[in-house]
Amino acid sequence: MQISDLPYPDPGVPDARSGPRFLLWLGRGQLGGQLKSLCWGILHFSGIAGLPYAVGMGVDAVVERDANRLLLVGALLLLIGVAISVGDAMLHRTAVTNWITAAARVQQLLARKTAELGSALTRRVAAGEVVAVSTGDVEKIGWFVEAVSRFLAAVFAVVLVCVGLLFYAPELGVVVAIGVPVIALASLPLLPRATKRADIQREKAGKATELASDTVAGLRVLRGIGGEELFLGRYREASQEVRKAAVRSARMWALISAIQVLLPGALLITVVWYGATLVVDGRIAVGELVAAFSAVATLLYPLRHFEEIAMSYSFSRPSAKRAARVLSLTRTDAAEGGAGTGAGAVEAPAAGGDLYDPQTGLLAPAGRFTAVVCGDPDLAGRLAERLGGHPMDDDGKDDATGDGPSVLLGGVALDELALDTARTLVLVQDKDPVLLSGTLRELFDVPASGAVDSGAALAAAQCGDVLDALLQSAPDGVDDPMDARITERGRSLSGGQRQRLALARSLVTDPEVLVLDEPTSAVDSHTEARIADGIATLRAGRTTVVLASSPLLLDRAERVVLIDGGTVAAVGTHRELLHREPLYRAVVTRETDEEQQQPLARMELTELEEALTEIEESA
């Protein structure tokens, strides 16, 4: 795989059972690139390993005044220099290619999983963790994949140098062969503590990132209530915690680095002292001492890769663990092969089927406008997710409305449909829809049936003032509001304007079943009444389910369902339920218990008066 070939046509199915398994899976997927990098690394480090012996041979040639041998050594040094240079350049090229391709594969996997889970992702994984996985964690995983081939080549060079010295200068070779493994393994006892401190640092950094993203997302609200300083103080505290954890982690890695400098230096001094003694005693030649000294000095370079592989694994293991956690999430906890993967999916139901939830008993007849009233707003949100095929709560566990059979559309379970098919049939707009940056035309460039154009959808959602506002803020030369740009998450618009644009976008898609969760909670009553009429008119003959408690919306619905305790409590029209269902009346009119009792008391008094009148007349 070359960088020019990215992205992958298919990134594959990852082994997400654990972080190390995920790293192993990535490595197996890049065996060709790793082998190529290893070969260039061996060439590079072989040249480095051969350099001390060539220098020793040159010193011996000078001492013995052997010109021919000196020329031969010169040619050998030239060959070694070429090998070092070419090997280093190609090793860097192939290693970076491995890093980029591994990072690209992980990003593709995360993007595919994000598209598969949709809005359920941030409900099951903290937003800060998602950001950390898709940015910093991807780089750390790529770093480890890149470092593996260099580490293996460095191991080859270390072994080559030690074995070569055992044959070239046995007395000094034994010292080096004993000292090098000690140096390589000396840092191992410190790695668990260093890894633990690094994990603490990343955990605190993730929390700080999540706090920052939440603060930015709610900046408009914070300014409205004067809470900027409170959240700024919290972020300062979180930032200081990250700084302290980073300092503690850096101290441990500095100690490991110091050991990697101290011990090789001690070995170098030992070799020089012991070698000089051997030279004085006439047991070895000067060239052998120079070769041994150069070999130990040269080993400092490949030994650094032992520290690098330890650091990269320590940093990448928790990153891979987080990535594996995200990649292991499924669209539902249904049996494998559900809508999350599309494997074993059944055929789509025939058009015009009813939407039915066996768990709550909710029935939305085909082609009708059904409103659902829940006393608990959280229950309404979970029910909306369930109607879209996501029967999971915020904790990723089955909730009161999700621990049961899937929602049925035309008698077919949604979680048995292929993901693309399910999304085509059912669209859920939650309470806080997201508007991506770009032009209004790009915002409405979504998969749709084509039966509803953007103009009709904008008119039904009462977006006339939104178009005027976008056009006024557009730069000179923009005459069509559809070409006006929307800032990130629509922050330049008010909450009601964002909500209406999101509603218009949902109406444009024209799905067979449209589920809207509080689509008018941020607009005034006059606009809400017109929006209710617009939805009813535009969606005539299409199945529409609105979860709301607004009388204006409920009065426009053809059928109203009251959900109490996770099951259907009453069904009727808005006016019927107002008269006969006290609980419905309490939810819709926001009556208190005392206010609910007043009509009952008046009714009982009237009945008593009628009874007394009948008694008097009979007497």
Side-chain angles (χ1 to χ4, degrees):
M1 172 64 70
Q2 300 294 324
I3 296 178
S4 58
D5 298 329
L6 296 175
Y8 284 92
D10 180 12
V13 179
D15 185 350
R17 290 176 290 177
S18 66
R21 288 178 182 273
F22 179 60
L23 291 175
L24 182 60
W25 177 83
L26 278 177
R28 287 202 306 266
Q30 294 186 212
L31 286 178
Q34 292 287 357
L35 182 61
K36 186 184 300 184
S37 182
L38 177 61
C39 291
W40 288 114
I42 288 176
L43 176 64
H44 171 63
F45 282 104
S46 295
I48 293 177
L51 190 60
Y53 305 110
V55 172
M57 292 171 59
V59 171
D60 287 338
V62 172
V63 171
E64 298 174 5
R65 299 181 181 276
D66 189 341
N68 293 331
R69 187 178 176 187
L70 187 60
L71 289 175
L72 181 62
V73 170
L76 180 60
L77 286 173
L78 179 61
L79 182 62
I80 289 174
V82 172
I84 292 175
S85 301
V86 174
D88 187 27
M90 296 306 298
L91 171 61
H92 178 75
R93 178 186 178 89
T94 53
V96 171
T97 299
N98 290 335
W99 181 88
I100 294 177
T101 51
R105 185 190 293 270
V106 176
Q107 286 179 328
Q108 280 187 254
L109 291 170
L110 291 171
R112 185 175 68 182
K113 181 59 65 173
T114 301
E116 174 186 325
L117 295 175
S119 60
L121 176 61
T122 52
R123 292 184 176 92
R124 300 167 65 182
V125 180
E129 185 170 349
V130 175
V131 173
V133 170
S134 59
T135 54
D137 286 340
V138 169
E139 295 183 2
K140 293 180 177 66
I141 293 171
W143 177 27
F144 175 72
V145 172
E146 173 202 10
V148 168
S149 56
R150 291 205 308 269
F151 167 70
L152 294 177
V155 172
F156 175 82
V158 169
V159 173
L160 187 63
V161 168
C162 292
V163 173
L165 277 179
L166 286 174
F167 286 95
Y168 187 75
E171 294 87 348
L172 293 177
V174 172
V175 176
V176 174
I178 295 174
V180 168
V182 173
I183 296 173
L185 301 177
S187 301
L188 287 182
L190 300 177
L191 287 179
R193 183 175 297 180
T195 302
K196 182 178 179 180
R197 292 188 179 184
D199 290 346
I200 294 174
Q201 175 194 350
R202 281 186 290 272
E203 180 182 355
K204 292 183 179 295
K207 291 181 179 179
T209 302
E210 182 178 354
L211 179 60
S213 61
D214 291 343
T215 303
V216 172
L219 189 58
R220 182 186 294 270
V221 178
L222 290 176
R223 285 175 175 172
I225 63 176
E228 305 107 300
E229 290 300 326
L230 174 62
F231 273 79
L232 183 60
R234 291 181 181 177
Y235 183 75
R236 285 197 185 103
E237 293 177 2
S239 179
Q240 289 301 313
E241 291 294 327
V242 174
R243 181 188 64 80
K244 293 176 182 177
V247 170
R248 293 186 73 249
S249 177
R251 286 173 179 169
M252 186 56 64
W253 288 112
L255 177 60
I256 293 175
S257 298
I259 292 175
Q260 293 295 320
V261 173
L262 176 64
L263 294 184
L267 178 61
L268 189 62
I269 294 174
T270 301
V271 168
V272 171
W273 173 78
Y274 183 56
T277 303
L278 295 178
V279 170
V280 172
D281 294 341
R283 297 168 59 182
I284 63 172
V286 175
E288 293 176 340
L289 174 60
V290 173
F293 171 81
S294 301
V296 174
T298 302
L299 283 177
L300 296 178
Y301 173 60
L303 284 175
R304 291 176 187 169
H305 291 79
F306 286 71
E307 178 188 356
E308 182 191 17
I309 196 66
M311 289 183 65
S312 62
Y313 180 73
S314 298
F315 279 89
S316 66
R317 183 182 57 81
S319 297
K321 181 180 178 181
R322 281 196 293 267
R325 177 172 177 248
V326 174
L327 295 174
S328 64
L329 297 175
T330 56
R331 186 166 179 254
T332 69
D333 273 354
E336 186 176 357
T341 61
V346 300
E347 294 183 1
D354 296 339
L355 183 69
Y356 176 66
D357 180 13
Q359 185 66 25
T360 61
L362 171 63
L363 173 66
R368 300 184 66 184
F369 184 178
T370 302
V372 180
V373 176
C374 297
D376 181 4
D378 293 333
L379 176 61
R382 294 196 298 269
L383 179 59
E385 293 178 25
R386 178 170 174 75
L387 294 177
H390 297 274
M392 307 305 297
D393 64 6
D394 294 349
D395 298 327
K397 301 177 182 178
D398 292 332
D399 58 28
T401 65
D403 189 15
S406 169
V407 171
L408 304 177
L409 178 61
V412 178
L414 283 182
D415 62 4
E416 293 180 0
L417 295 173
L419 181 58
D420 292 341
T421 303
R423 284 181 171 166
T424 302
L425 295 174
V426 182
L427 174 67
V428 178
Q429 177 181 306
D430 60 17
K431 289 186 180 71
D432 188 21
V434 176
L435 300 181
L436 301 178
S437 60
T439 64
L440 191 57
R441 195 181 308 279
E442 293 170 342
L443 178 69
F444 285 89
D445 186 15
V446 293
S449 67
V452 179
D453 59 31
S454 58
L458 288 167
Q462 300 298 309
C463 294
D465 64 316
V466 184
L467 299 180
D468 294 338
L470 288 174
L471 197 56
Q472 290 176 2
S473 61
D476 295 338
V478 177
D479 300 324
D480 188 347
M482 297 299 293
D483 295 324
R485 294 195 64 83
I486 300 173
T487 57
E488 182 184 1
R489 301 181 70 90
R491 291 196 176 96
S492 60
L493 303 173
S494 67
Q497 290 173 329
R498 289 196 301 270
Q499 195 173 57
R500 282 178 282 161
L501 282 180
L503 175 60
R505 179 180 59 186
S506 300
L507 293 174
V508 163
T509 61
D510 188 39
E512 181 172 333
V513 178
L514 177 61
V515 180
L516 303 172
D517 186 9
E518 294 287 356
T520 58
S521 59
V523 300
D524 60 81
S525 58
H526 297 288
T527 305
E528 185 177 29
R530 293 194 295 268
I531 290 175
D533 290 334
I535 294 175
T537 302
L538 194 64
R539 292 286 300 173
R542 307 289 273 172
T543 306
T544 306
V545 180
V546 177
L547 291 98
S549 58
S550 168
L552 295 172
L553 277 174
L554 299 174
D555 191 45
R556 198 65 180 83
E558 301 172 76
R559 190 169 184 269
V560 179
V561 179
L562 173 63
I563 302 290
D564 182 34
T567 58
V568 173
V571 179
T573 65
H574 170 60
R575 298 179 187 275
E576 291 173 350
L577 294 178
L578 270 180
H579 286 90
R580 75 169 191 256
E581 293 294 337
L583 177 60
Y584 178 83
R585 186 167 55 250
V587 174
V588 173
T589 63
R590 277 74 170 178
E591 289 181 346
T592 63
D593 293 339
E594 182 180 350
E595 291 171 336
Q596 291 182 51
Q597 296 300 324
Q598 290 177 0
L600 295 177
R602 287 194 296 268
M603 185 180 300
E604 292 173 355
L605 180 59
T606 302
E607 293 175 351
L608 180 59
E609 290 175 349
E610 291 176 354
L612 290 174
T613 302
E614 291 177 0
I615 293 173
E616 290 175 356
E617 290 176 352
S618 62

